[in-house]
Amino acid sequence: MGRARRPSASDPESQKNRGVRAGTRRQGIATPWLFLAPYLLLFGSFVVLPAVLGVWISLHSWDYTLPNKPFVGLDNYVALFSPGSTVFGPFWGSMRATGIFTVLSVPLLLIVPLAVALLMSRKFPGRDFLRAIYFAPYVLGVAVISVLWRYLLDNNIGLVNHYLGLLGLPDDTAWTTTTPAAWVALVGVTVWWTLGFNAVIYLAGLQDIPIELYEAARVDGAGPWMQFLHVTIPGLKPILSFITIITLLASANMFGQSYLMTQGGPGRETRTAIYQIADAGLRNFQMGSAAAMSYVLTVFLMAISAFVFYIFREKQPKKLKKEVRS
């Protein structure tokens, strides 16, 4: 028997096959970009372009009611760090208010939803109903929540003071016009409003932890607290990182509750950074200064986010590190 003829490079059939493969390869490269195109278009239009435009505005004395918007370079940024400027005090006061709210609210929004999720992960009658109850406030808008609680916490007609009086407690607390009561009101309302979202994420993470780990821990004599420390918390580490980041960012960007419940008062005590940025840009027509404020706040949030990622990073065992180095 003769050997089969090997097709040559000049064979028409071979050239046709190469052309088909090349066309398929080109189509394979283009296909992912076609699927990504709608997202990239929206992302570029509503994220990248506004961010670049914001940097450009921050380099100008930008009053959108006037035709001329002179270029001032870094003057808007320098003013934010110059104690003698008119924007220094209000801006850093708002940053202080943002820090107070973040420090008070974030730990509660990490711990309380986790406790709720641990409770809801157990089987008992009415569990699904309670899950819906805890999550229900989160579907309401910030305007609805803030206006509702503003009336409930009113010093004269609010139901909160009324029921506190029935319990024999002080019934004349000015929840929205004095500190620290205003901070208690803002933090309490925010935790009540948003804990359901974090609890749902925790609950999904708890369901992904293998039950065999808990059984092994019980066999080794671990009680509920030790199981929580050595099984639940390590199993929730990626979820904890995610919830910490989104809660920090949400708390640092708080605006609606302060604007609608306390109007930034008393004085400027509860005027957060976003409140100050909106006031400077939209009420005082200082868009350049407001844009500079927003980017200073962004740098702070990026630094905090990087720190959180560093804390929750996966740590290699010391033995493995030595083997890698050697």
Side-chain angles (χ1 to χ4, degrees):
M1 294 179 64
R3 296 192 314 181
R5 183 177 66 88
R6 186 175 183 179
S8 63
S10 60
D11 190 352
E13 188 67 25
S14 179
Q15 293 178 354
K16 180 180 179 181
N17 291 336
R18 282 202 304 273
V20 171
R21 286 196 296 270
T24 303
R25 193 158 46 245
R26 286 194 296 270
Q27 290 178 358
I29 294 174
T31 298
W33 292 104
L34 290 174
F35 281 102
L36 286 171
Y39 168 77
L40 293 176
L41 179 63
L42 294 174
F43 183 79
S45 300
F46 295 102
V47 178
V48 177
L49 183 60
V52 174
L53 180 60
V55 174
W56 179 252
I57 291 174
S58 72
L59 302 177
H60 292 73
S61 179
W62 194 289
D63 186 337
Y64 54 83
T65 64
L66 300 177
N68 295 325
K69 301 170 177 61
F71 180 82
V72 296
L74 298 176
D75 287 357
N76 288 322
Y77 293 94
V78 172
L80 294 178
F81 294 92
S82 301
S85 68
T86 58
V87 297
F88 177 84
F91 174 67
W92 291 107
S94 68
M95 290 289 283
R96 174 180 174 272
T98 299
I100 292 174
F101 180 80
T102 302
V103 168
L104 293 177
S105 62
V106 170
L108 293 175
L109 285 170
L110 294 178
I111 296 171
V112 176
L114 178 57
V116 171
L118 289 170
L119 175 64
M120 295 303 164
S121 64
R122 300 178 180 274
K123 294 182 179 180
F124 57 87
R127 181 182 64 173
D128 293 338
F129 176 74
L130 285 179
R131 286 181 178 179
I133 290 295
Y134 276 106
F135 187 77
Y138 186 74
V139 303
L140 300 176
V142 64
V144 176
I145 294 296
S146 299
V147 172
L148 170 65
W149 278 98
R150 181 179 176 183
Y151 283 104
L152 290 175
L153 295 169
D154 187 270
N155 189 26
N156 298 312
I157 62 173
L159 291 178
V160 172
N161 277 343
H162 173 71
Y163 286 115
L164 288 175
L166 294 179
L167 295 173
L169 299 172
D171 61 353
D172 59 348
T173 304
W175 293 104
T176 59
T177 56
T178 62
T179 53
W183 287 120
V184 174
L186 289 172
V187 172
V189 169
T190 303
V191 171
W192 171 82
W193 174 38
T194 58
L195 72 86
F197 178 77
N198 287 359
V200 168
I201 299 176
Y202 274 132
L203 190 59
L206 288 171
Q207 293 174 348
D208 285 339
I209 299 176
I211 192 66
E212 293 82 4
L213 296 179
Y214 290 101
E215 294 174 352
R218 283 193 292 268
V219 170
D220 290 339
W225 177 245
M226 298 302 292
Q227 292 177 37
F228 174 76
L229 288 179
H230 297 287
V231 178
T232 304
I233 294 298
L236 288 177
K237 191 173 181 180
I239 301 296
L240 276 170
S241 174
F242 172 73
I243 291 180
T244 302
I245 290 293
I246 64 171
T247 305
L248 275 170
L249 296 179
S251 296
N253 285 280
M254 190 272 282
F255 166 71
Q257 302 94 299
S258 176
Y259 182 75
L260 294 171
M261 289 178 60
T262 65
Q263 287 80 49
R268 291 176 174 266
E269 289 293 321
T270 60
R271 178 174 290 214
T272 59
I274 299 297
Y275 194 142
Q276 179 61 29
I277 291 169
D279 190 70
L282 301 178
R283 183 174 295 176
N284 299 329
F285 310 114
Q286 299 173 349
M287 291 297 294
S289 180
M293 293 179 190
S294 67
Y295 282 100
V296 171
L297 176 62
T298 299
V299 171
F300 273 92
L301 294 182
M302 290 175 64
I304 293 173
S305 300
F307 178 70
V308 172
F309 278 120
Y310 175 78
I311 291 176
F312 285 98
R313 74 190 187 283
E314 290 292 336
K315 298 180 181 179
Q316 292 182 346
K318 294 182 178 179
K319 293 183 178 179
L320 182 59
K321 287 183 178 180
K322 291 180 180 179
E323 291 177 0
V324 171
R325 290 175 183 174
S326 61

